[in-house]
Amino acid sequence: MISQDTIDNHAKLIAFQIYDAIEQKKQNNEHLVLGLATGSTPIPLYQELIRLHQEANLSFENVYTFNLDEYCGLSENHSESYHYFMHHHLFDHIDIPKENIFIPGGEVEPIFLKDYCVGYEKHMQELGGLDIQILGIGRNGHIGFNEPGSSVASITRKVELHHVTKRDAASAFGGFDFVPTHAITMGMKTILSAKQIYLMAFGENKKQATKQAILGDITDELPASFLQHHDNVSYCLDFDIYTK
Ligand code: GLP
């Protein structure tokens, strides 16, 4: 059973770490680079960040954000696009400068795609790299849209979506056949370059993949298992991975 109190506590804790990181950077006249995720899982975190902005004067003026992924073929104002999601759930409610927001483009022309993806990575590096990366996890162990088979050395690129991912997104798109077939995602190498990672997973349907990611073999069949290579990952869960 999903425990709302546990979820809220995780959201508060991560939000406070972000708050602290932003404030520290501010004192040094520096900026923070935040990697952000979509899906239902990080919504309580975004609500908490909005609350800190409204009630505790947290400003995002010195923050740059890079989103993990976007569906190919969706316009920015499509209600299922991650552009729409991020503005609706976070950006419209905080004071982050619009020019500091980076989300992969879902409508980049195929001939420009390779350069576009290289540019996304380059821009992130020029800003000093990801300080904090927020992650959810797919039921098949994907991270962003790094589906099973993704290499640990992968960078931002176009990928084909896995059937489990499409099945999970089917209701939002009005049926399996309407789910986009491809997406652009940061790669595993990109994600692993973050200085600090928070992986959030809530609900029994995430338990198997999360348990395997943390306790199982490191394999490209479960890309989240590559996080075992990173020495600064916090797993924020509402279930016990040591029980069946
Ligand atoms: C999509 C996103 C992932 C996210 C996953 C889980 O596949 N690309 O980044 O982690 O959904 O979503 P939810 O949190 O809704 O379970």
Side-chain angles (χ1 to χ4, degrees), residues 31-96:
H31 57 255
L32 186 84
V33 183
L34 254 186
L36 297 177
T38 51
S40 55
T41 307
I43 292 176
L45 167 63
Y46 297 155
Q47 287 171 344
E48 187 59 21
L49 289 175
I50 293 167
R51 194 189 68 76
L52 289 173
H53 170 64
Q54 291 171 344
E55 297 174 17
N57 280 330
L58 173 63
S59 168
F60 291 80
E61 278 184 329
N62 68 326
V63 175
Y64 286 84
T65 63
F66 285 84
N67 261 80
L68 282 169
D69 47 15
E70 178 59 288
Y71 290 110
C72 286
L74 297 194
S75 69
E76 293 187 3
N77 47 26
H78 188 290
S79 61
E80 291 306 322
S81 79
Y82 288 165
H83 278 78
Y84 183 90
F85 176 98
M86 287 309 304
H87 284 87
H88 180 71
H89 288 288
L90 183 63
F91 299 143
D92 287 352
H93 312 284
I94 58 176
D95 64 343
I96 185 163

Short mmCIF file of all heavy atoms in Angstrom, two decimals, residues 31-96:
data_model
loop_
_atom_site.label_atom_id
_atom_site.label_comp_id
_atom_site.label_asym_id
_atom_site.label_seq_id
_atom_site.Cartn_x
_atom_site.Cartn_y
_atom_site.Cartn_z
N HIS A 31 25.79 29.11 -9.64
CA HIS A 31 24.46 28.58 -9.95
C HIS A 31 24.41 27.08 -9.68
O HIS A 31 25.45 26.41 -9.62
CB HIS A 31 24.08 28.87 -11.40
CG HIS A 31 25.05 28.33 -12.38
ND1 HIS A 31 25.95 29.11 -13.06
CD2 HIS A 31 25.30 27.06 -12.77
CE1 HIS A 31 26.70 28.36 -13.83
NE2 HIS A 31 26.33 27.10 -13.68
N LEU A 32 23.19 26.56 -9.53
CA LEU A 32 23.00 25.12 -9.33
C LEU A 32 22.40 24.54 -10.60
O LEU A 32 21.51 25.13 -11.21
CB LEU A 32 22.03 24.89 -8.17
CG LEU A 32 21.86 23.42 -7.77
CD1 LEU A 32 22.98 23.00 -6.82
CD2 LEU A 32 20.52 23.17 -7.11
N VAL A 33 22.90 23.38 -11.01
CA VAL A 33 22.34 22.69 -12.18
C VAL A 33 21.56 21.47 -11.70
O VAL A 33 22.11 20.56 -11.08
CB VAL A 33 23.45 22.28 -13.17
CG1 VAL A 33 22.82 21.63 -14.40
CG2 VAL A 33 24.29 23.49 -13.58
N LEU A 34 20.27 21.52 -11.96
CA LEU A 34 19.35 20.48 -11.47
C LEU A 34 18.85 19.62 -12.62
O LEU A 34 18.35 20.15 -13.61
CB LEU A 34 18.11 21.18 -10.90
CG LEU A 34 17.85 21.28 -9.41
CD1 LEU A 34 16.48 21.89 -9.17
CD2 LEU A 34 17.98 19.94 -8.73
N GLY A 35 18.95 18.32 -12.49
CA GLY A 35 18.37 17.41 -13.48
C GLY A 35 17.00 16.97 -12.99
O GLY A 35 16.87 16.52 -11.84
N LEU A 36 16.00 17.13 -13.84
CA LEU A 36 14.63 16.87 -13.37
C LEU A 36 13.96 15.74 -14.14
O LEU A 36 14.27 15.47 -15.30
CB LEU A 36 13.80 18.15 -13.50
CG LEU A 36 14.29 19.32 -12.63
CD1 LEU A 36 13.44 20.56 -12.89
CD2 LEU A 36 14.28 18.95 -11.15
N ALA A 37 12.99 15.13 -13.46
CA ALA A 37 12.26 13.99 -14.01
C ALA A 37 10.76 14.32 -14.09
O ALA A 37 10.28 15.23 -13.41
CB ALA A 37 12.45 12.78 -13.11
N THR A 38 10.07 13.56 -14.91
CA THR A 38 8.61 13.70 -14.98
C THR A 38 7.96 12.44 -14.40
O THR A 38 8.63 11.63 -13.78
CB THR A 38 8.17 13.89 -16.44
OG1 THR A 38 8.77 12.85 -17.20
CG2 THR A 38 8.62 15.25 -16.98
N GLY A 39 6.67 12.28 -14.62
CA GLY A 39 5.94 11.15 -14.04
C GLY A 39 5.25 11.57 -12.76
O GLY A 39 5.49 12.68 -12.25
N SER A 40 4.41 10.70 -12.24
CA SER A 40 3.66 11.05 -11.03
C SER A 40 4.57 11.10 -9.80
O SER A 40 4.31 11.85 -8.85
CB SER A 40 2.54 10.03 -10.80
OG SER A 40 3.11 8.73 -10.75
N THR A 41 5.67 10.35 -9.84
CA THR A 41 6.50 10.21 -8.64
C THR A 41 7.08 11.53 -8.11
O THR A 41 6.99 11.79 -6.91
CB THR A 41 7.64 9.19 -8.93
OG1 THR A 41 7.04 7.99 -9.42
CG2 THR A 41 8.45 8.90 -7.69
N PRO A 42 7.67 12.39 -8.95
CA PRO A 42 8.27 13.61 -8.38
C PRO A 42 7.28 14.74 -8.09
O PRO A 42 7.69 15.79 -7.59
CB PRO A 42 9.28 14.03 -9.45
CG PRO A 42 8.78 13.46 -10.72
CD PRO A 42 7.99 12.24 -10.39
N ILE A 43 6.00 14.54 -8.38
CA ILE A 43 5.04 15.65 -8.19
C ILE A 43 5.04 16.18 -6.73
O ILE A 43 5.10 17.40 -6.53
CB ILE A 43 3.62 15.27 -8.67
CG1 ILE A 43 3.62 15.13 -10.20
CG2 ILE A 43 2.58 16.30 -8.24
CD1 ILE A 43 2.29 14.67 -10.80
N PRO A 44 5.03 15.30 -5.71
CA PRO A 44 5.07 15.85 -4.33
C PRO A 44 6.33 16.66 -4.06
O PRO A 44 6.29 17.65 -3.31
CB PRO A 44 5.03 14.59 -3.45
CG PRO A 44 4.44 13.53 -4.31
CD PRO A 44 4.88 13.83 -5.71
N LEU A 45 7.45 16.28 -4.68
CA LEU A 45 8.68 17.06 -4.52
C LEU A 45 8.50 18.45 -5.14
O LEU A 45 8.88 19.46 -4.56
CB LEU A 45 9.85 16.32 -5.19
CG LEU A 45 11.13 17.13 -5.40
CD1 LEU A 45 11.73 17.56 -4.06
CD2 LEU A 45 12.16 16.33 -6.20
N TYR A 46 7.91 18.50 -6.34
CA TYR A 46 7.71 19.79 -7.00
C TYR A 46 6.75 20.66 -6.19
O TYR A 46 6.94 21.87 -6.07
CB TYR A 46 7.23 19.58 -8.45
CG TYR A 46 8.27 18.85 -9.29
CD1 TYR A 46 7.91 18.11 -10.41
CD2 TYR A 46 9.61 18.91 -8.96
CE1 TYR A 46 8.87 17.42 -11.17
CE2 TYR A 46 10.58 18.23 -9.70
CZ TYR A 46 10.20 17.49 -10.80
OH TYR A 46 11.16 16.84 -11.54
N GLN A 47 5.74 20.02 -5.58
CA GLN A 47 4.81 20.80 -4.74
C GLN A 47 5.55 21.39 -3.55
O GLN A 47 5.29 22.53 -3.14
CB GLN A 47 3.66 19.90 -4.27
CG GLN A 47 2.69 19.59 -5.41
CD GLN A 47 1.66 18.54 -5.05
OE1 GLN A 47 1.82 17.81 -4.07
NE2 GLN A 47 0.61 18.45 -5.84
N GLU A 48 6.47 20.63 -3.00
CA GLU A 48 7.22 21.11 -1.85
C GLU A 48 8.17 22.24 -2.25
O GLU A 48 8.33 23.22 -1.51
CB GLU A 48 7.98 19.92 -1.23
CG GLU A 48 8.68 20.21 0.07
CD GLU A 48 7.79 20.71 1.19
OE1 GLU A 48 6.56 20.50 1.16
OE2 GLU A 48 8.34 21.35 2.10
N LEU A 49 8.77 22.13 -3.43
CA LEU A 49 9.66 23.21 -3.89
C LEU A 49 8.85 24.49 -4.12
O LEU A 49 9.31 25.60 -3.80
CB LEU A 49 10.37 22.79 -5.19
CG LEU A 49 11.45 21.73 -5.05
CD1 LEU A 49 11.99 21.31 -6.42
CD2 LEU A 49 12.61 22.22 -4.16
N ILE A 50 7.64 24.33 -4.65
CA ILE A 50 6.77 25.50 -4.85
C ILE A 50 6.42 26.12 -3.49
O ILE A 50 6.46 27.34 -3.31
CB ILE A 50 5.48 25.10 -5.61
CG1 ILE A 50 5.83 24.68 -7.04
CG2 ILE A 50 4.46 26.24 -5.62
CD1 ILE A 50 4.71 23.97 -7.79
N ARG A 51 6.13 25.25 -2.52
CA ARG A 51 5.80 25.76 -1.18
C ARG A 51 7.00 26.53 -0.59
O ARG A 51 6.83 27.61 -0.02
CB ARG A 51 5.43 24.59 -0.25
CG ARG A 51 4.75 25.02 1.04
CD ARG A 51 4.58 23.88 2.01
NE ARG A 51 5.84 23.40 2.54
CZ ARG A 51 6.56 24.03 3.48
NH1 ARG A 51 6.12 25.16 4.00
NH2 ARG A 51 7.70 23.54 3.89
N LEU A 52 8.20 26.00 -0.77
CA LEU A 52 9.39 26.69 -0.24
C LEU A 52 9.59 28.03 -0.94
O LEU A 52 10.05 29.00 -0.32
CB LEU A 52 10.64 25.81 -0.41
CG LEU A 52 10.72 24.59 0.51
CD1 LEU A 52 11.90 23.70 0.13
CD2 LEU A 52 10.83 25.01 1.97
N HIS A 53 9.25 28.07 -2.23
CA HIS A 53 9.35 29.34 -2.96
C HIS A 53 8.34 30.35 -2.41
O HIS A 53 8.68 31.50 -2.16
CB HIS A 53 9.10 29.09 -4.45
CG HIS A 53 8.94 30.35 -5.25
ND1 HIS A 53 9.97 31.25 -5.40
CD2 HIS A 53 7.87 30.88 -5.89
CE1 HIS A 53 9.54 32.28 -6.11
NE2 HIS A 53 8.28 32.07 -6.43
N GLN A 54 7.11 29.87 -2.19
CA GLN A 54 6.05 30.79 -1.77
C GLN A 54 6.13 31.19 -0.29
O GLN A 54 5.84 32.31 0.08
CB GLN A 54 4.68 30.16 -2.04
CG GLN A 54 4.40 30.04 -3.54
CD GLN A 54 3.16 29.23 -3.86
OE1 GLN A 54 2.65 28.51 -3.00
NE2 GLN A 54 2.68 29.32 -5.09
N GLU A 55 6.56 30.23 0.53
CA GLU A 55 6.49 30.48 1.98
C GLU A 55 7.84 30.70 2.64
O GLU A 55 7.90 31.20 3.75
CB GLU A 55 5.77 29.32 2.68
CG GLU A 55 4.32 29.19 2.22
CD GLU A 55 3.65 27.95 2.79
OE1 GLU A 55 4.17 27.38 3.77
OE2 GLU A 55 2.59 27.57 2.26
N ALA A 56 8.92 30.29 1.97
CA ALA A 56 10.22 30.42 2.62
C ALA A 56 11.21 31.20 1.75
O ALA A 56 12.43 31.09 1.94
CB ALA A 56 10.78 29.03 2.95
N ASN A 57 10.66 31.98 0.81
CA ASN A 57 11.49 32.86 -0.02
C ASN A 57 12.56 32.16 -0.83
O ASN A 57 13.59 32.77 -1.15
CB ASN A 57 12.20 33.89 0.86
CG ASN A 57 11.26 35.01 1.21
OD1 ASN A 57 10.36 35.32 0.42
ND2 ASN A 57 11.44 35.56 2.39
N LEU A 58 12.36 30.89 -1.14
CA LEU A 58 13.36 30.20 -1.96
C LEU A 58 13.26 30.72 -3.39
O LEU A 58 12.21 30.63 -4.02
CB LEU A 58 13.13 28.68 -1.93
CG LEU A 58 14.01 27.87 -2.89
CD1 LEU A 58 15.50 28.02 -2.53
CD2 LEU A 58 13.64 26.38 -2.86
N SER A 59 14.38 31.27 -3.88
CA SER A 59 14.40 31.77 -5.25
C SER A 59 15.19 30.81 -6.13
O SER A 59 16.18 30.22 -5.70
CB SER A 59 15.06 33.16 -5.29
OG SER A 59 15.31 33.50 -6.64
N PHE A 60 14.71 30.66 -7.36
CA PHE A 60 15.38 29.77 -8.32
C PHE A 60 16.12 30.57 -9.39
O PHE A 60 16.43 30.07 -10.46
CB PHE A 60 14.33 28.86 -8.99
CG PHE A 60 13.74 27.85 -8.04
CD1 PHE A 60 12.73 28.22 -7.15
CD2 PHE A 60 14.20 26.55 -8.03
CE1 PHE A 60 12.19 27.29 -6.26
CE2 PHE A 60 13.66 25.61 -7.15
CZ PHE A 60 12.66 26.00 -6.27
N GLU A 61 16.44 31.84 -9.05
CA GLU A 61 17.08 32.71 -10.06
C GLU A 61 18.47 32.21 -10.45
O GLU A 61 18.93 32.50 -11.55
CB GLU A 61 17.14 34.13 -9.53
CG GLU A 61 15.82 34.83 -9.74
CD GLU A 61 15.85 36.27 -9.32
OE1 GLU A 61 16.61 36.60 -8.39
OE2 GLU A 61 15.09 37.06 -9.92
N ASN A 62 19.13 31.50 -9.54
CA ASN A 62 20.47 30.99 -9.86
C ASN A 62 20.44 29.49 -10.16
O ASN A 62 21.43 28.78 -9.93
CB ASN A 62 21.45 31.27 -8.70
CG ASN A 62 21.11 30.46 -7.46
OD1 ASN A 62 19.93 30.20 -7.19
ND2 ASN A 62 22.10 30.06 -6.70
N VAL A 63 19.29 29.01 -10.67
CA VAL A 63 19.16 27.57 -10.97
C VAL A 63 18.99 27.37 -12.48
O VAL A 63 18.25 28.11 -13.13
CB VAL A 63 17.96 26.97 -10.22
CG1 VAL A 63 17.74 25.51 -10.61
CG2 VAL A 63 18.15 27.10 -8.71
N TYR A 64 19.70 26.37 -13.01
CA TYR A 64 19.47 25.88 -14.37
C TYR A 64 18.89 24.49 -14.26
O TYR A 64 19.31 23.72 -13.38
CB TYR A 64 20.79 25.80 -15.16
CG TYR A 64 21.34 27.15 -15.56
CD1 TYR A 64 22.11 27.89 -14.68
CD2 TYR A 64 21.07 27.67 -16.82
CE1 TYR A 64 22.61 29.15 -15.04
CE2 TYR A 64 21.57 28.91 -17.20
CZ TYR A 64 22.33 29.64 -16.31
OH TYR A 64 22.82 30.87 -16.67
N THR A 65 17.93 24.15 -15.11
CA THR A 65 17.38 22.80 -15.07
C THR A 65 17.53 22.11 -16.43
O THR A 65 17.40 22.75 -17.48
CB THR A 65 15.88 22.80 -14.69
OG1 THR A 65 15.15 23.50 -15.70
CG2 THR A 65 15.64 23.42 -13.34
N PHE A 66 17.79 20.82 -16.37
CA PHE A 66 17.84 19.98 -17.57
C PHE A 66 16.91 18.80 -17.32
O PHE A 66 17.10 18.06 -16.35
CB PHE A 66 19.26 19.47 -17.83
CG PHE A 66 20.16 20.53 -18.40
CD1 PHE A 66 20.82 21.41 -17.56
CD2 PHE A 66 20.32 20.64 -19.77
CE1 PHE A 66 21.64 22.41 -18.08
CE2 PHE A 66 21.14 21.64 -20.31
CZ PHE A 66 21.80 22.52 -19.46
N ASN A 67 15.91 18.65 -18.17
CA ASN A 67 15.03 17.50 -18.01
C ASN A 67 15.61 16.26 -18.66
O ASN A 67 16.36 16.33 -19.63
CB ASN A 67 13.63 17.80 -18.57
CG ASN A 67 12.69 18.18 -17.45
OD1 ASN A 67 12.72 19.32 -17.00
ND2 ASN A 67 11.92 17.22 -16.96
N LEU A 68 15.21 15.13 -18.11
CA LEU A 68 15.71 13.85 -18.59
C LEU A 68 15.31 13.53 -20.02
O LEU A 68 16.09 12.99 -20.79
CB LEU A 68 15.14 12.72 -17.73
CG LEU A 68 15.74 12.47 -16.36
CD1 LEU A 68 14.85 11.49 -15.59
CD2 LEU A 68 17.14 11.89 -16.51
N ASP A 69 14.04 13.85 -20.35
CA ASP A 69 13.53 13.26 -21.60
C ASP A 69 12.29 13.98 -22.14
O ASP A 69 11.72 14.84 -21.46
CB ASP A 69 13.23 11.76 -21.37
CG ASP A 69 12.45 11.50 -20.10
OD1 ASP A 69 11.89 12.45 -19.52
OD2 ASP A 69 12.38 10.34 -19.66
N GLU A 70 11.92 13.59 -23.34
CA GLU A 70 10.70 14.10 -23.97
C GLU A 70 10.26 13.12 -25.06
O GLU A 70 11.10 12.47 -25.69
CB GLU A 70 10.95 15.48 -24.58
CG GLU A 70 9.77 16.12 -25.31
CD GLU A 70 8.52 16.33 -24.47
OE1 GLU A 70 7.85 15.33 -24.14
OE2 GLU A 70 8.21 17.49 -24.14
N TYR A 71 8.96 12.98 -25.23
CA TYR A 71 8.43 12.16 -26.32
C TYR A 71 8.71 12.82 -27.66
O TYR A 71 8.59 14.05 -27.79
CB TYR A 71 6.91 12.03 -26.19
CG TYR A 71 6.44 11.20 -25.01
CD1 TYR A 71 5.81 11.80 -23.93
CD2 TYR A 71 6.60 9.82 -25.01
CE1 TYR A 71 5.35 11.03 -22.86
CE2 TYR A 71 6.14 9.06 -23.94
CZ TYR A 71 5.53 9.66 -22.87
OH TYR A 71 5.08 8.91 -21.83
N CYS A 72 9.04 12.00 -28.66
CA CYS A 72 9.21 12.55 -30.01
C CYS A 72 7.84 12.75 -30.66
O CYS A 72 6.93 11.92 -30.49
CB CYS A 72 10.02 11.59 -30.88
SG CYS A 72 11.76 11.57 -30.47
N GLY A 73 7.73 13.83 -31.38
CA GLY A 73 6.52 14.08 -32.16
C GLY A 73 5.45 14.87 -31.42
O GLY A 73 4.41 15.18 -32.00
N LEU A 74 5.68 15.20 -30.15
CA LEU A 74 4.67 15.99 -29.43
C LEU A 74 5.09 17.45 -29.39
O LEU A 74 6.25 17.76 -29.13
CB LEU A 74 4.50 15.50 -27.99
CG LEU A 74 4.00 14.08 -27.74
CD1 LEU A 74 3.57 13.93 -26.28
CD2 LEU A 74 2.84 13.72 -28.65
N SER A 75 4.13 18.34 -29.62
CA SER A 75 4.44 19.77 -29.52
C SER A 75 4.55 20.13 -28.04
O SER A 75 4.06 19.40 -27.17
CB SER A 75 3.35 20.60 -30.18
OG SER A 75 2.18 20.51 -29.39
N GLU A 76 5.19 21.27 -27.78
CA GLU A 76 5.42 21.67 -26.38
C GLU A 76 4.12 21.85 -25.61
O GLU A 76 4.09 21.68 -24.40
CB GLU A 76 6.24 22.95 -26.34
CG GLU A 76 7.64 22.71 -26.85
CD GLU A 76 8.56 23.90 -26.68
OE1 GLU A 76 8.11 24.92 -26.11
OE2 GLU A 76 9.72 23.80 -27.12
N ASN A 77 3.04 22.23 -26.30
CA ASN A 77 1.80 22.43 -25.54
C ASN A 77 0.84 21.25 -25.59
O ASN A 77 -0.29 21.34 -25.13
CB ASN A 77 1.10 23.75 -25.92
CG ASN A 77 1.03 23.92 -27.40
OD1 ASN A 77 1.04 22.92 -28.12
ND2 ASN A 77 0.96 25.16 -27.87
N HIS A 78 1.30 20.12 -26.10
CA HIS A 78 0.50 18.89 -26.01
C HIS A 78 0.38 18.53 -24.53
O HIS A 78 1.37 18.57 -23.80
CB HIS A 78 1.21 17.77 -26.78
CG HIS A 78 0.40 16.52 -26.92
ND1 HIS A 78 0.11 15.69 -25.86
CD2 HIS A 78 -0.19 15.95 -28.00
CE1 HIS A 78 -0.61 14.66 -26.28
NE2 HIS A 78 -0.81 14.80 -27.58
N SER A 79 -0.81 18.16 -24.09
CA SER A 79 -1.02 17.95 -22.65
C SER A 79 -0.22 16.78 -22.09
O SER A 79 -0.05 16.68 -20.88
CB SER A 79 -2.50 17.76 -22.36
OG SER A 79 -2.96 16.61 -23.04
N GLU A 80 0.28 15.87 -22.94
CA GLU A 80 1.10 14.77 -22.44
C GLU A 80 2.59 15.00 -22.66
O GLU A 80 3.41 14.13 -22.34
CB GLU A 80 0.69 13.44 -23.09
CG GLU A 80 -0.68 12.94 -22.67
CD GLU A 80 -0.83 12.84 -21.15
OE1 GLU A 80 0.13 12.45 -20.48
OE2 GLU A 80 -1.91 13.19 -20.64
N SER A 81 2.94 16.18 -23.21
CA SER A 81 4.38 16.43 -23.40
C SER A 81 5.01 16.74 -22.05
O SER A 81 4.35 17.21 -21.11
CB SER A 81 4.60 17.60 -24.37
OG SER A 81 4.41 18.83 -23.69
N TYR A 82 6.29 16.45 -21.96
CA TYR A 82 6.98 16.73 -20.69
C TYR A 82 7.24 18.24 -20.53
O TYR A 82 7.42 18.71 -19.41
CB TYR A 82 8.27 15.91 -20.61
CG TYR A 82 8.02 14.43 -20.38
CD1 TYR A 82 9.01 13.48 -20.58
CD2 TYR A 82 6.77 13.96 -19.94
CE1 TYR A 82 8.78 12.12 -20.35
CE2 TYR A 82 6.53 12.62 -19.72
CZ TYR A 82 7.53 11.70 -19.93
OH TYR A 82 7.31 10.36 -19.70
N HIS A 83 7.24 18.96 -21.65
CA HIS A 83 7.30 20.43 -21.55
C HIS A 83 6.08 20.93 -20.78
O HIS A 83 6.19 21.70 -19.83
CB HIS A 83 7.28 21.07 -22.95
CG HIS A 83 8.61 21.10 -23.61
ND1 HIS A 83 9.16 20.00 -24.22
CD2 HIS A 83 9.51 22.11 -23.78
CE1 HIS A 83 10.35 20.31 -24.72
NE2 HIS A 83 10.58 21.59 -24.48
N TYR A 84 4.92 20.45 -21.21
CA TYR A 84 3.67 20.87 -20.57
C TYR A 84 3.69 20.46 -19.09
O TYR A 84 3.37 21.26 -18.20
CB TYR A 84 2.48 20.23 -21.29
CG TYR A 84 1.15 20.66 -20.73
CD1 TYR A 84 0.49 21.79 -21.24
CD2 TYR A 84 0.55 19.95 -19.69
CE1 TYR A 84 -0.72 22.19 -20.71
CE2 TYR A 84 -0.66 20.35 -19.16
CZ TYR A 84 -1.29 21.47 -19.68
OH TYR A 84 -2.49 21.87 -19.15
N PHE A 85 4.07 19.22 -18.85
CA PHE A 85 4.11 18.69 -17.48
C PHE A 85 4.95 19.58 -16.57
O PHE A 85 4.54 19.98 -15.48
CB PHE A 85 4.69 17.26 -17.51
CG PHE A 85 4.86 16.64 -16.15
CD1 PHE A 85 3.92 15.76 -15.64
CD2 PHE A 85 5.98 16.94 -15.37
CE1 PHE A 85 4.08 15.18 -14.38
CE2 PHE A 85 6.14 16.38 -14.10
CZ PHE A 85 5.19 15.51 -13.61
N MET A 86 6.17 19.89 -17.03
CA MET A 86 7.09 20.63 -16.17
C MET A 86 6.61 22.05 -15.88
O MET A 86 6.77 22.55 -14.77
CB MET A 86 8.49 20.69 -16.80
CG MET A 86 9.25 19.38 -16.76
SD MET A 86 9.35 18.56 -15.14
CE MET A 86 10.07 19.81 -14.10
N HIS A 87 6.02 22.69 -16.89
CA HIS A 87 5.52 24.04 -16.66
C HIS A 87 4.32 24.00 -15.72
O HIS A 87 4.21 24.81 -14.79
CB HIS A 87 5.18 24.73 -17.98
CG HIS A 87 6.43 25.19 -18.68
ND1 HIS A 87 7.16 24.38 -19.53
CD2 HIS A 87 7.12 26.36 -18.60
CE1 HIS A 87 8.23 25.04 -19.95
NE2 HIS A 87 8.23 26.24 -19.40
N HIS A 88 3.45 23.03 -15.96
CA HIS A 88 2.24 22.91 -15.15
C HIS A 88 2.56 22.57 -13.69
O HIS A 88 1.97 23.13 -12.76
CB HIS A 88 1.36 21.82 -15.78
CG HIS A 88 0.09 21.58 -15.06
ND1 HIS A 88 -0.95 22.50 -15.08
CD2 HIS A 88 -0.33 20.54 -14.31
CE1 HIS A 88 -1.94 22.02 -14.36
NE2 HIS A 88 -1.61 20.84 -13.88
N HIS A 89 3.51 21.64 -13.49
CA HIS A 89 3.77 21.15 -12.13
C HIS A 89 4.84 21.92 -11.39
O HIS A 89 4.97 21.78 -10.17
CB HIS A 89 4.12 19.67 -12.14
CG HIS A 89 2.95 18.79 -12.43
ND1 HIS A 89 1.93 18.58 -11.52
CD2 HIS A 89 2.60 18.10 -13.54
CE1 HIS A 89 1.02 17.78 -12.04
NE2 HIS A 89 1.39 17.48 -13.27
N LEU A 90 5.67 22.70 -12.11
CA LEU A 90 6.75 23.40 -11.39
C LEU A 90 7.04 24.80 -11.93
O LEU A 90 6.86 25.79 -11.22
CB LEU A 90 8.04 22.55 -11.42
CG LEU A 90 9.22 23.12 -10.66
CD1 LEU A 90 8.92 23.22 -9.16
CD2 LEU A 90 10.49 22.27 -10.87
N PHE A 91 7.46 24.89 -13.19
CA PHE A 91 8.06 26.14 -13.66
C PHE A 91 7.12 27.35 -13.61
O PHE A 91 7.56 28.47 -13.36
CB PHE A 91 8.62 25.97 -15.07
CG PHE A 91 9.70 24.92 -15.19
CD1 PHE A 91 9.78 24.11 -16.30
CD2 PHE A 91 10.65 24.77 -14.18
CE1 PHE A 91 10.78 23.15 -16.42
CE2 PHE A 91 11.65 23.80 -14.28
CZ PHE A 91 11.72 22.99 -15.40
N ASP A 92 5.82 27.11 -13.85
CA ASP A 92 4.88 28.24 -13.84
C ASP A 92 4.69 28.83 -12.44
O ASP A 92 4.06 29.87 -12.28
CB ASP A 92 3.50 27.80 -14.38
CG ASP A 92 3.53 27.59 -15.88
OD1 ASP A 92 4.56 27.94 -16.50
OD2 ASP A 92 2.53 27.08 -16.42
N HIS A 93 5.19 28.12 -11.42
CA HIS A 93 4.90 28.53 -10.04
C HIS A 93 6.14 29.00 -9.28
O HIS A 93 6.07 29.27 -8.08
CB HIS A 93 4.27 27.35 -9.29
CG HIS A 93 3.16 26.71 -10.06
ND1 HIS A 93 1.91 27.30 -10.17
CD2 HIS A 93 3.13 25.58 -10.80
CE1 HIS A 93 1.17 26.53 -10.95
NE2 HIS A 93 1.86 25.49 -11.35
N ILE A 94 7.28 29.05 -9.97
CA ILE A 94 8.51 29.50 -9.31
C ILE A 94 9.16 30.59 -10.18
O ILE A 94 8.68 30.87 -11.28
CB ILE A 94 9.50 28.33 -9.06
CG1 ILE A 94 9.88 27.63 -10.38
CG2 ILE A 94 8.91 27.33 -8.06
CD1 ILE A 94 10.93 26.54 -10.23
N ASP A 95 10.24 31.18 -9.66
CA ASP A 95 10.81 32.33 -10.37
C ASP A 95 12.04 31.99 -11.20
O ASP A 95 12.93 32.83 -11.39
CB ASP A 95 11.16 33.45 -9.35
CG ASP A 95 12.24 33.01 -8.38
OD1 ASP A 95 12.48 31.78 -8.26
OD2 ASP A 95 12.84 33.88 -7.71
N ILE A 96 12.09 30.76 -11.72
CA ILE A 96 13.25 30.39 -12.55
C ILE A 96 13.19 31.16 -13.87
O ILE A 96 12.14 31.23 -14.51
CB ILE A 96 13.30 28.86 -12.80
CG1 ILE A 96 14.57 28.49 -13.56
CG2 ILE A 96 12.06 28.36 -13.55
CD1 ILE A 96 14.91 27.01 -13.51
#
